[in-house]
Amino acid sequence: MKRSTAALAAACATILASTGVLLMPRAEAAVQGCRVDYTVTNQWQGGFQAGVKITNLGDALSGWSLRFTFPDSGQKVAQGWNATWSQSGATATAASTDWNRTLASGASADLGFTGTTTGANPVPTAFTLNGVTCTGTTGPAPTTTTPPTTTTTPTPGRTPLAANGQLHVCGVHLCGESNRVVQLRGMSTHGLQWFDGCYNDASLNALANDWHADLLRIAMYVQEQGYETNPPWFTNRVNSLVDEAEERGMYAVIDFHTLTPGDPNYNLDRAKTFFASVAARNAAKKNVIYEIANEPNGVSWGAIKSYAEQVIPVIRAADPDAVVIVGTRGWSSLGVSDGSNETEVVNNPVNAANIMYTFHFYAASHKDNYRSTVSRAAAKLPLFVTEFGTVSATGGGALDQASTTAWLDLLDQLKIGYANWTYSDANESSAALRPGTCAGGDYGSGALTESGALVRSRISTADDF
Ligand code: IDC
C-alpha cells in the first residue's frame, strides 16, 4: 500500500502527540525507515508461534507502533509479548510498552505472539512502523521455521530422520515429533525394474552426504515389467531400500507406481497385498511414508477416493501412525490436466486422517495455471510433490530453468515437500546422472547432468529443521 505524504505526516504527528515530544521545525526531515523480520517459530494444528524483530533504520524513536495485515482472515493474535497487542479485522497492532518505547537508530526490538489459524498460515504483509512502510523487510520466506525456543535446538549435522522422527500431518503441513513444520526435499528413483543398479552404497551415500537429501522416493512400477511380474522380488527390494534410507537418516516414500492403466482400482488387490506386507514389515520404523497411487489418469476423483478408502485401512491396520499420500486426478495434477481443479478434493476429501494429497509437475509443461492451483490448494489441502521434473512431461526435452526455479521457490515458500524424477542415469534429460554413471560407480559432481546439478543445488541447502 502506498501512503500519501499527508498520511505520513499525520502518523508522525499522532506519535509525537502521544509521546509528548514537541514537534520542532527542523532544517531536515527526520529519517524514517524500518525493517521487520517475521519468523514462524513453531506451528501445530490450528495454531502457530511467530517472532517479530523490528529494526529501526531511521532516527531514534521514543514510542512506536507496528502494524501488519494477515492475508488469511482466519489468523488471530492470541497472546503476545514485549508489546501491547491488539487486532482489528485482519490488521494486528503491536504498540511499544513503557520499557521498550525508546528505539535508537539501528536498534532492534524483539516481539512475539502465539496465534490461532484456520488455514495455511501465510506470513503477514504491509508491515508499517509508525505508519511508515518497512521496506527494509528482508522478506523472510513465508512460514520460515527456525528452532522454537520451547523445544530442543537441532544439532547441526543431525540427519533429517534424527531431527524429526515420526512424521504426522499438522494442518496442511507435515510436522516432526516436536510439531515443527518439516519440508522434505529429495529424489525419486527411476523404475526399479530398469535402474536397480543405480541404488547401491556409493550412490545412496552421495545422496545423503553430498546432496543432503531428506528423502528417497522408491518408485515401484506395478506394470511395465514391475511388481505384477514378481511380487516377492519387488517387495523385498523396496524393503531393503527403506533400510538403506533409514541407515542414512533419510525418509523413504514407498511409491506404488501405477501409471498405465490409470485407474488405480485395476490394481486394488495387488495394492492391498503389497501394502499389508510392507506396512507390517516396516511398522516400527519412523522413516516410512506410503504413496498409494502414483498418477491416476482417465478416472474420476470418486474412483480414486474409493480406492484410497480401501487401501488406507489395510496400511493403518499394520502401521497406524504413518503418513499416507493419495494420488489425484489427471496424473496427480489435482485434476487440472483433466480440466478440473482442487475443489473436487476439497469438497469430497478422503475419509481418513493423517493423509496428504499428491501433486506432480514437469516444469517445461506445467506452468502458471498449475502454480496458481497449488498456491490456492495449499491453504486447504496437505500437499506433497512426490514427483516433479525440470523438463517436459515426457521426461525428456530441454530443461526449463525459469519454470523449475519458480516452482521450487513456491514449494519452499509453502513448505511443501518434493522429490525429483529421477536419481538415475537414464538416457533422458530428467535424469540427474549422466548415462553410464551407475556402471562406473562415481557419483560425484562430475556425474551430474544439467538437471542433476540444478536440483542438487536446491536440495543441498541447509534444512531449517
Ligand atoms: C517415465 C520415464 C521413462 C519411462 C516411462 C515409462 O522417465 O524412462 O520409459 O516413464 O512409463 C510421469 C510418471 C513417470 C514417467 C515420467 C516421465 O510418473 O513414470 O517416467 N512422468 O514421463 N508422470 C509425468 C511424467
Side-chain angles (χ1 to χ4, degrees):
M1 186 182 62
K2 198 169 185 305
R3 291 181 66 97
S4 69
T5 318
L8 282 180
C12 290
T14 310
I15 296 138
L16 292 168
S18 67
T19 54
V21 177
L22 208 60
L23 182 57
M24 299 292 288
R26 291 175 56 145
E28 291 166 33
V31 178
Q32 299 178 320
C34 45
R35 160 181 162 162
V36 171
D37 293 300
Y38 180 99
T39 312
V40 174
T41 50
N42 202 357
Q43 294 198 68
W44 54 91
Q45 181 125 30
F48 64 102
Q49 178 176 321
V52 185
K53 179 178 185 172
I54 306 170
T55 306
N56 177 18
L57 302 178
D59 291 344
L61 297 173
S62 53
W64 48 264
S65 178
L66 174 79
R67 283 186 169 212
F68 55 84
T69 308
F70 288 117
D72 175 338
S73 58
Q75 287 171 298
K76 301 250 179 306
V77 173
Q79 193 175 19
W81 50 91
N82 294 353
T84 304
W85 289 84
S86 59
Q87 186 168 346
S88 167
T91 302
T93 304
S96 55
T97 60
D98 261 344
W99 54 266
N100 66 6
R101 313 168 40 216
T102 313
L103 203 53
S105 180
S108 297
D110 278 301
L111 337 171
F113 65 97
T114 54
T116 55
T117 179
T118 53
N121 199 23
V123 161
T125 54
F127 290 94
T128 61
L129 188 66
N130 292 352
V132 177
T133 301
C134 293
T135 48
T137 301
T138 48
T143 67
T144 292
T145 306
T146 56
T149 47
T150 48
T151 59
T152 42
T153 306
T155 316
R158 275 213 296 174
T159 66
L161 181 58
N164 299 297
Q166 177 62 53
L167 303 171
H168 64 278
V169 178
C170 50
V172 293
H173 289 109
L174 199 55
C175 277
E177 279 173 15
S178 64
N179 275 336
R180 195 161 46 211
V181 172
V182 178
Q183 181 200 22
L184 299 179
R185 299 171 297 163
M187 294 297 290
S188 176
T189 70
H190 204 296
L192 298 180
Q193 73 274 43
W194 300 309
F195 291 92
D196 187 44
C198 284
Y199 312 108
N200 50 54
D201 280 350
S203 70
L204 296 173
N205 285 344
L207 192 60
N209 304 329
D210 175 33
W211 286 61
H212 298 290
D214 307 320
L215 88 153
L216 174 71
R217 178 191 191 230
I218 305 165
M220 188 198 71
Y221 278 77
V222 185
Q223 276 73 45
E224 300 184 60
Q225 302 304 305
Y227 173 82
E228 66 179 1
T229 64
N230 190 348
W233 187 88
F234 283 91
T235 305
N236 287 337
R237 187 59 181 133
V238 166
N239 286 333
S240 75
L241 287 171
V242 165
D243 295 351
E244 299 290 343
E246 184 190 35
E247 278 168 25
R248 293 166 176 82
M250 291 188 287
Y251 289 89
V253 172
I254 298 182
D255 162 31
F256 194 66
H257 202 86
T258 56
L259 186 60
T260 311
D263 182 351
N265 292 291
Y266 176 84
N267 288 305
L268 179 60
D269 288 342
R270 291 181 195 90
K272 286 181 177 172
T273 304
F274 172 74
F275 282 111
S277 171
V278 293
R281 192 268 187 187
N282 298 304
K285 295 185 187 289
K286 295 185 171 186
N287 73 321
V288 181
I289 299 170
Y290 301 98
E291 182 182 0
I292 61 175
N294 167 49
E295 290 189 350
N297 57 90
V299 65
S300 69
W301 168 243
I304 302 165
K305 174 177 143 90
S306 159
Y307 166 85
E309 288 175 356
Q310 293 174 77
V311 175
I312 292 170
V314 171
I315 296 174
R316 297 277 192 252
D319 187 353
D321 63 351
V323 172
V324 175
I325 311 176
V326 180
T328 58
R329 187 150 76 100
W331 295 272
S332 286
S333 68
L334 285 168
V336 181
S337 291
D338 274 355
S340 181
N341 60 42
E342 81 284 3
T343 55
E344 65 185 23
V345 181
V346 172
N347 296 334
N348 189 19
V350 170
N351 186 15
N354 212 23
I355 62 163
M356 307 185 89
Y357 296 93
T358 313
F359 183 83
H360 287 175
F361 68 86
Y362 278 74
S365 305
H366 309 123
K367 299 190 177 179
D368 284 347
N369 60 322
Y370 288 84
R371 281 190 281 267
S372 54
T373 301
V374 166
S375 331
R376 219 175 39 232
K380 299 194 169 155
L381 299 171
L383 300 178
F384 204 118
V385 175
T386 57
E387 182 183 311
F388 80 93
T390 59
V391 298
S392 89
T394 61
L399 175 140
D400 191 329
Q401 177 150 11
S403 177
T404 301
T405 302
W407 269 115
L408 297 182
D409 287 352
L410 178 67
L411 300 185
D412 288 351
Q413 198 182 70
L414 297 170
K415 292 268 177 206
I416 296 177
Y418 62 77
N420 173 246
W421 185 264
T422 56
Y423 194 57
S424 83
D425 65 356
N427 191 11
E428 56 190 11
S429 54
S430 52
L433 307 171
R434 293 183 192 283
T437 299
C438 303
D442 178 355
Y443 297 89
S445 55
L448 302 180
T449 61
E450 194 186 1
S451 181
L454 172 61
V455 175
R456 182 188 166 283
S457 77
R458 297 292 301 224
I459 290 180
S460 58
T461 58
D463 290 306
D464 59 8
F465 46 71

